[in-house]
Amino acid sequence: MLCSWLFPLLAIIIKLSSPGPVFFIQKRSGRNNEEFDCYKFRSMSVNKDSDKVQATVNDSRVTAIGKFLRKSNLDELPQFINVLIGNMSVVGPRPHMLKHTADYSAIIDKFMVRHLIKPGITGWAQVNGFRGATIQPRYMMKRVRYDLWYIENWTFLLDLQIIVMTAYTMIRGDKNAF
């Protein structure tokens, strides 16, 4: 029900705020490292670096509505399309852009283990503060540790806990969301 009015409203606001498509579609690494198109609401002006350079604090590419979308996690809503298609789940390790998968798999032990399951819209690492830019490999190492813990300790109740924690974080706000 939420999406029936929220998707069109956000689409109109995005179109009015800057030229370009409503959706940002990026190739991401999924289960078994298979590439898939990950859908998001576009939060940046159209640029040629979006597949190579992660957003950072005060990134000039982020639009005014994009700041709100990113801070509230509403930019992730179209990933429910990915869930319906079957290449993502609601909870799991967050999918990374292909460049990050290539870069980090070469330097972080067990990085590719996170690709044994479907990536998620939200995950254990995110609700524990490891989301956003990964400027240094040590931040990605911590994220991977949380992802591996999730895979090794998965239960349906853990997924429910992560969903509740995600909703709480959306309402409260997250310092790592920008």
Side-chain angles (χ1 to χ4, degrees), residues 27-64:
K27 294 281 185 201
R28 300 275 179 107
S29 304
R31 185 176 186 185
N32 298 321
N33 200 32
E34 291 180 18
E35 293 179 18
F36 71 96
D37 289 332
C38 184
Y39 299 99
K40 294 179 78 168
F41 280 123
R42 183 175 56 83
S43 61
M44 295 185 179
S45 54
V46 176
N47 67 87
K48 63 180 184 246
D49 293 328
S50 59
D51 289 329
K52 297 176 268 200
V53 179
Q54 226 179 359
T56 56
V57 176
N58 300 320
D59 195 314
S60 62
R61 300 174 298 164
V62 178
T63 63

Side-chain angles (χ1 to χ4, degrees), residues 95-162:
H96 293 111
M97 66 174 88
L98 301 180
K99 180 180 181 335
H100 278 169
T101 298
D103 292 348
Y104 289 121
S105 65
I107 61 172
I108 296 176
D109 187 40
K110 298 182 182 169
F111 180 85
M112 295 306 289
V113 173
R114 42 190 318 282
H115 293 93
L116 291 175
I117 64 172
K118 287 181 185 179
I121 296 173
T122 187
W124 187 240
Q126 283 63 41
V127 298
N128 282 284
F130 296 101
R131 65 167 286 187
T134 50
I135 308 295
Q136 299 174 9
R138 67 186 167 120
Y139 295 120
M140 185 60 80
M141 288 171 146
K142 290 179 181 180
R143 184 181 292 178
V144 170
R145 278 191 212 124
Y146 274 86
D147 289 340
L148 296 180
W149 185 92
Y150 168 79
I151 292 168
E152 292 169 358
N153 295 281
W154 179 87
T155 65
F156 180 69
L157 288 176
L158 178 60
D159 276 1
L160 290 178
Q161 178 184 351
I162 292 168

